[in-house]
Amino acid sequence: SSQIYPIHLPRETRTRRALLICNIEFEHLSRRDGAEVDVEGMMKLLEGLGYVVDVHRNLTSQGMATVMKDFANRKEHWTSDSTFLVFMSHGVRAGLCGTKSKGETTDILSVDTIYEKFNNKCCRALLGKPKVVIIQSCRGGKVGSVMVSDSADPAMPTPGSAHAIPAGLEDDAICEVHLESDFGTLHSSTPDTVSWRSSVMGSLFIQHLIEQFRNHACDSDLQEIFRKVQYSFGKFPRQLPSQERTTMLRKFYLFPGH
C-alpha cells in the first residue's frame, strides 16, 4: 500500500541502526538513578526490533550534537529502512541537559538540533524513511495534573479554518522535497511538566513504552503504539506523554505483513 512505509530489503541484508544517548552523571545536577535500567530495557527492545544500537553516556550538549552528526553520516542508513533516536537526560523547557548543565541556560541541547541533524538536507540516506524520536526528560518543574469539576465550560474554542497546502513542484531537473519529514516523536511529558523516574525500576515512560512495543509492534503501526503508550497513563494524571513534531507521511509498521 502507498499509505505504508516500504521495507525493501530482507532482514538478512538491511542494516537498521539506532542511536541511544543517556546522561546519568552530571557535574552540577543530581544523578539520574535508575536510568541504567532504562538503557538496558531500550537496548533489548531495539535489538529485538532488528536494530544495532549505538549507545553513548554522559555527554555535554556539544558532545550530543557531535554524536548525532556522526550517526547521521553512517553509511548503514543507505541500506536501512528506518532509525530510532532515543534521548534520556535531565531536561528543561528549552531542551536536554548536558553533563555540565547548571540549569535553564547552560549546556542545553535544543530539541531543534535533533531535527536539524536528521532532516532531508543533512541526512540524505534517511530521506523518505521513518525517524522515530523518543525523549525521556523533564520539560519544566510543573506537575502535569489539575483538579477539575464536572461542570460544563461555557467557553468553547472556535475551530480554526483549514489551510490549503499547495502541491510540491517537480520538473525533469529538480524534485523538491520537504526539508523535514518522516519524523515520529514521542516525548515523555507535555511542555513545562516533569517526568517521573524510579531509582529502582527506571523511568515510568520508558517502562510503559517498552511494554506497549513488545505487545503491539507485531501488528500495530508506530503512531497507534504511541497512542497506546499515552492511554496507559490514563490513571496517572501527573504525567502524559506527548506526540509532537510528528511528520509521518505514511504508516510505519516494524513488521509489515505479520
Side-chain angles (χ1 to χ4, degrees):
S1 170
S2 62
Q3 297 296 310
I4 297 174
Y5 282 101
I7 295 179
H8 297 298
L9 297 172
R11 183 180 302 211
E12 296 74 25
T13 55
R14 66 178 179 236
T15 53
R16 284 180 171 176
R17 293 199 80 97
L19 175 65
L20 194 161
I21 296 175
C22 182
N23 289 339
I24 302 174
E25 303 279 357
F26 298 81
E27 292 186 10
H28 306 285
L29 304 177
S30 61
R31 188 179 191 276
R32 297 182 61 247
D33 293 324
E36 195 61 49
V37 178
D38 294 339
V39 173
E40 293 173 3
M42 284 303 302
M43 283 184 61
K44 187 174 181 180
L45 174 69
L46 293 170
E47 289 169 354
L49 296 174
Y51 294 85
V52 176
V53 187
D54 293 2
V55 180
H56 300 267
R57 295 174 176 84
N58 302 329
L59 300 175
T60 64
S61 58
Q62 182 56 54
M64 288 189 277
T66 299
V67 163
M68 281 191 284
K69 181 179 179 181
D70 293 343
F71 183 78
N73 290 331
R74 293 197 70 110
K75 65 182 186 301
E76 290 91 343
H77 295 315
W78 291 103
T79 47
S80 178
D81 51 49
S82 57
T83 190
F84 273 72
L85 309 167
V86 182
F87 303 87
M88 307 175 185
S89 186
H90 284 307
V92 295
R93 185 66 172 88
L96 295 158
C97 295
T99 53
K100 295 182 180 296
S101 177
K102 294 182 180 179
E104 295 282 340
T105 59
T106 56
D107 198 21
I108 301 298
L109 177 80
S110 170
V111 174
D112 288 344
T113 305
I114 300 170
Y115 301 94
E116 291 165 2
K117 298 295 184 186
F118 293 95
N119 67 23
N120 293 328
K121 178 180 179 180
C122 295
C123 188
R124 295 292 303 279
L126 288 170
L127 174 64
K129 302 173 183 179
K131 296 164 277 281
V132 184
V133 181
I134 305 295
I135 303 176
Q136 163 60 45
S137 74
C138 290
R139 308 178 71 182
K142 296 180 181 179
V143 175
S145 60
V146 62
M147 299 301 292
V148 296
S149 70
D150 289 332
S151 62
D153 185 352
M156 296 298 291
T158 303
S161 59
H163 296 281
I165 301 174
L169 303 177
E170 182 177 344
D171 60 27
D172 59 357
I174 297 174
C175 177
E176 286 187 315
V177 299
H178 300 100
L179 175 62
E180 182 180 308
S181 66
D182 310 296
F183 284 96
T185 304
L186 189 63
H187 209 300
S188 59
S189 60
T190 51
D192 298 312
T193 64
V194 298
S195 295
W196 297 87
R197 170 173 40 83
S198 162
S199 60
V200 177
M201 301 295 293
S203 302
L204 191 62
F205 168 67
I206 297 297
Q207 293 175 51
H208 284 230
L209 183 140
I210 290 173
E211 179 183 11
Q212 297 303 321
F213 266 90
R214 285 178 175 167
N215 290 340
H216 300 290
C218 60
D219 57 11
S220 296
D221 70 276
L222 178 77
Q223 286 176 274
E224 176 62 14
I225 296 172
F226 280 0
R227 188 197 62 77
K228 290 178 185 295
V229 175
Q230 292 175 294
Y231 183 80
S232 71
F233 278 78
K235 294 183 179 180
F236 187 74
R238 293 192 171 197
Q239 181 177 343
L240 180 63
S242 175
Q243 294 191 55
E244 297 178 19
R245 204 159 172 169
T246 292
T247 53
M248 303 288 278
L249 302 179
R250 311 181 188 190
K251 293 183 177 181
F252 177 36
Y253 288 91
L254 286 148
F255 301 102
H258 286 236

